[in-house]
Amino acid sequence: MKVIVGGVYQTKFGELWDKNLTDLIFEAGSQALADARIKPKQIDLVVVGNKLGGKMQGQDHLASLTTELLGIEAPGVRVEAACASGGMAVHQAIQAIRAGEAERVLVIGAEKMTDATNGEVGAALMGAASNQERRAGLSFVGLYALMARAYMEKYGAKREDLVRVGVKNHEHASLNPKAQFQFKVSLEQAKNSQMVAEPLGLFDCSPITDGAAAVVLLKQNGVRVKRQVEILASQMATDSLGLTERDSLVEIRATKWAAKRAYREAGIETSEVDLAEVHDCFSIAEILAVEDLGFSKKGDGFKELKKGRFGLKGELPVNLSGGLKACGHPVGATGVKQIVEIVTQLRGEAGDRQAKKGRVGLAHNVGGTGGTATVHILRKI
Amino acid sequence: MKVIVGGVYQTKFGELWDKNLTDLIFEAGSQALADARIKPKQIDLVVVGNKLGGKMQGQDHLASLTTELLGIEAPGVRVEAACASGGMAVHQAIQAIRAGEAERVLVIGAEKMTDATNGEVGAALMGAASNQERRAGLSFVGLYALMARAYMEKYGAKREDLVRVGVKNHEHASLNPKAQFQFKVSLEQAKNSQMVAEPLGLFDCSPITDGAAAVVLLKQNGVRVKRQVEILASQMATDSLGLTERDSLVEIRATKWAAKRAYREAGIETSEVDLAEVHDCFSIAEILAVEDLGFSKKGDGFKELKKGRFGLKGELPVNLSGGLKACGHPVGATGVKQIVEIVTQLRGEAGDRQAKKGRVGLAHNVGGTGGTATVHILRKI
């Protein structure tokens, strides 16, 4: 049985002072329904991905809020898997269709992060890490800085090899009207930017963002729909919460496990992937991702990035949306936004940032430092 | 394809000052696995139900924490649906088995609530209600008090008709070693107890509780297991988040919708249910539940309660565990604990509180004031 994408929508990402969490959910949900030409009452399940609503807005129970808001008469659930909450929401929706529980599912990922101080957000985000890591006073950028250090030492990557991720993703974001940062940065600017946690500087780090994204998933009913995209694979994997329990700091095992199962489920080779949205919460994360997803050999990711392989005009464009780095990272929305971007690309509707070829796309979402990973593979029908 | 319950476990519920959220998850998870005689590595999915971890313990990403803690090498997800998070976690697990994604799933519901002041917990719980309700300064007991008032006015119930719920559930809890309050209260005591929100007094309200419960769900593999219980139905429904959008204050529509679908799925009549665990967060909630689940006609619930129909020796025992009122209400754990109690009863292992007959049991979990409801029906094989 096939699951297809009926409609997609992404709100503008950024510091949206005039919008609250409810506004974002409403805009994304209603517009995705409009894109799918489906009425709220036709939806038979809602899945919401969100991490911080309970803490930041004092608002849990978001599935019920969403159905009330959109006039949907169907059950709903909220799922949370740290920064992979969005990817996990998509996964749960696909699972519900496969279980025969639903045929038309609305998935919404949303996060409102700018209503708190950066310190509060930083502390809240550490909810995705382990108790030991919190007690040790580590921050998220600090955890990824440890991974970056280990990688640089093992494979001889330099700081400029890392910042190239940000330079590339800003270039893509400059072409994306929905992106938080619609501007380019030069390698020099990025390299000389303020240090956040050695060796990760300002342009190695994704920002704090408000935003929402939504996807309508449908059980294939045999009717050929224009611009149709199907889900080839939906997989998730879980690893230890803390870095202390990992064998290696230079790979994210959950990504490898989820990817392996996803390629098997899709029945495709890694080489058949035409474009990907990967989880670049920090520059090192994108380099690990392209390796752990099998696009590059371990230790080669930064070299192939330098050669331009992952740019808009490269062989395998990565993060054409601008990624988490430059499109923005509203945590619960990110995994859903990745699906929106892949679908937009496969439909050929990505405007100035349209990939040359686009038949198969992959979306990769990570929670914490790799405690959770989801991998989705989509194909244009 | 059948889904069966392989193992169950409930921690002691109460003010557990010497245990943190991690301890509770570990105890419930490892003991449920032991009961099922299944090794951690045989589990292929983990689902965690929790509402307040992000806010109370600064800990989200609980599925990853759980797999690390128990040595499970399988993916996991956390689901949240306010006080129905536990029932929703069970539902998601069953769905995953039906979708073919998993065959041996560990479901854990856990909540650690006593590390904050009552005021903080009260505010956090309002995350399950609507923005308007929060802004109006309403508390959860206040919202249910509105429903109680409406019910009393419409059906002529008196305050003593409500407190009988607490009296009955305390009597059951007095026989349950896992209950938070192992003591009886008289009707006089209950009636004269301190008012919390008119007309709901102390013995109309469930307490703040620490605790966890776990269930191992298995795809039926044809092997007949001793003490086997099967899932006949697993349904959920969603209604508006706030009371303001409801047509009636004297019913919980989400319960009616979920129950109707559950009876249909199970292929049974309401009259075939031998015992039930229902969501008695406040006394009025149990009265609405027995009516909305179809056990009593609308407006008759409190009368049949008075006649003893829902007591241990009644025709249809309700909340033999002591319910949320007296067994305790660790919010994310409650829906899972209800399944544990039903299974314990159907296996005939409930000791002093064992129901006389027990072939079919029903578990009913509510989020907020009815924004979400889950209904599970189980049968002894």
Side-chain angles (χ1 to χ4, degrees), chain B residues 67-78:
Chain B
T67 56
E68 175 178 332
L69 205 57
L70 295 171
I72 291 170
E73 293 172 351
V77 61
R78 171 200 162 204

Side-chain angles (χ1 to χ4, degrees), chain A residues 59-60 68 92 134 241, chain B residues 51 59 68 92 134 241:
Chain A
Q59 184 71 67
D60 302 296
E68 175 178 334
Q92 294 292 319
R134 272 197 300 283
L241 191 57
Chain B
K51 172 165 156 58
Q59 184 72 69
E68 175 178 332
Q92 294 293 317
R134 271 196 301 283
L241 191 57

Side-chain angles (χ1 to χ4, degrees), chain A residues 51 58-61 64 67-68 75-76 78 80 91-92 95 101 127-129 134 238-242 245 367 372, chain B residues 51 58-61 64 67-68 75-76 78 80 91-92 95 101 127-129 134 238-242 245 367 372:
Chain A
K51 172 166 155 58
Q59 184 71 67
D60 302 296
H61 214 176
S64 174
T67 56
E68 175 178 334
R78 171 199 163 206
E80 184 269 330
H91 177 75
Q92 294 292 319
Q95 185 181 88
E101 174 164 327
R134 272 197 300 283
T238 302
D239 197 356
S240 72
L241 191 57
E245 303 299 316
T372 301
Chain B
K51 172 165 156 58
Q59 184 72 69
D60 301 297
H61 213 178
S64 175
T67 56
E68 175 178 332
R78 171 200 162 204
E80 184 269 329
H91 177 76
Q92 294 293 317
Q95 186 182 87
E101 175 164 325
R134 271 196 301 283
T238 302
D239 197 356
S240 72
L241 191 57
E245 303 299 317
T372 300

Side-chain angles (χ1 to χ4, degrees), chain B residues 54-340:
Chain B
K55 190 148 193 170
M56 294 279 145
Q57 285 79 40
Q59 184 72 69
D60 301 297
H61 213 178
L62 288 172
S64 175
L65 179 141
T66 301
T67 56
E68 175 178 332
L69 205 57
L70 295 171
I72 291 170
E73 293 172 351
V77 61
R78 171 200 162 204
V79 302
E80 184 269 329
C83 297
S85 298
M88 194 62 88
V90 173
H91 177 76
Q92 294 293 317
I94 293 166
Q95 186 182 87
I97 295 175
R98 289 176 177 168
E101 175 164 325
E103 301 194 352
R104 292 171 299 278
V105 187
L106 176 63
V107 187
I108 299 182
E111 208 80 57
K112 173 71 188 176
M113 302 176 75
T114 62
D115 282 348
T117 66
N118 286 357
E120 285 167 344
V121 174
L125 288 175
M126 280 301 286
S130 76
N131 236 322
Q132 295 92 323
E133 290 167 337
R134 271 196 301 283
R135 282 186 195 152
L138 277 156
S139 61
F140 247 93
V141 60
L143 289 164
Y144 273 94
L146 291 172
M147 298 161 87
R149 272 264 170 250
Y151 186 92
M152 289 163 83
E153 194 153 307
K154 183 153 188 183
Y155 298 111
K158 306 282 175 223
R159 216 179 100 63
E160 68 176 48
D161 294 318
L162 298 184
V163 296
R164 264 193 204 96
V165 171
V167 173
K168 168 180 71 69
N169 291 347
H170 267 272
E171 194 177 335
H172 294 167
S174 74
L175 305 170
N176 182 1
K178 297 287 180 74
Q180 181 165 8
F181 300 135
Q182 270 180 269
F183 57 84
K184 297 182 190 180
V185 294
S186 69
L187 187 63
E188 279 309 299
Q189 272 179 302
K191 240 174 75 181
N192 299 325
S193 71
Q194 185 186 340
M195 195 53 65
V196 180
E198 176 77 34
L200 302 177
L202 187 63
F203 288 101
D204 292 285
C205 304
S206 59
I208 288 168
T209 310
D210 305 324
V215 171
V216 177
L217 294 167
L218 306 172
K219 181 177 168 181
Q220 238 267 16
N221 58 6
V223 180
R224 179 74 181 256
V225 178
K226 217 170 53 171
R227 310 178 306 165
Q228 199 157 288
V229 172
E230 67 175 313
I231 305 285
L232 278 191
S234 171
Q235 293 289 341
M236 60 162 173
T238 302
D239 197 356
S240 72
L241 191 57
L243 287 183
T244 37
E245 303 299 317
R246 310 269 177 87
D247 293 335
S248 165
L249 288 182
V250 299
E251 64 172 20
I252 291 188
R253 282 189 301 198
T255 297
K256 295 175 87 163
W257 294 333
K260 189 177 170 189
R261 292 203 294 264
Y263 292 128
R264 195 191 310 138
E265 184 189 349
I268 65 161
E269 301 291 325
T270 311
S271 58
E272 294 178 61
V273 175
D274 296 317
L275 58 120
E277 291 282 308
V278 312
H279 198 89
D280 60 321
C281 50
F282 301 99
S283 54
I284 181 64
E286 178 168 319
I287 293 170
L288 297 182
V290 296
E291 295 174 356
D292 296 334
L293 291 166
F295 301 152
S296 301
K297 276 190 200 152
K298 190 46 79 183
D300 279 354
F302 72 96
K303 296 173 195 162
E304 299 189 349
L305 170 66
K306 188 175 177 181
K307 288 182 192 152
R309 184 172 174 223
F310 304 124
L312 173 55
K313 291 178 181 158
E315 180 206 349
L316 172 55
V318 168
N319 285 331
L320 287 172
S321 69
L324 285 60
K325 170 64 200 86
C327 186
H329 183 26
V331 290
T334 285
V336 182
K337 182 222 82 176
Q338 294 177 324
I339 303 289
V340 174

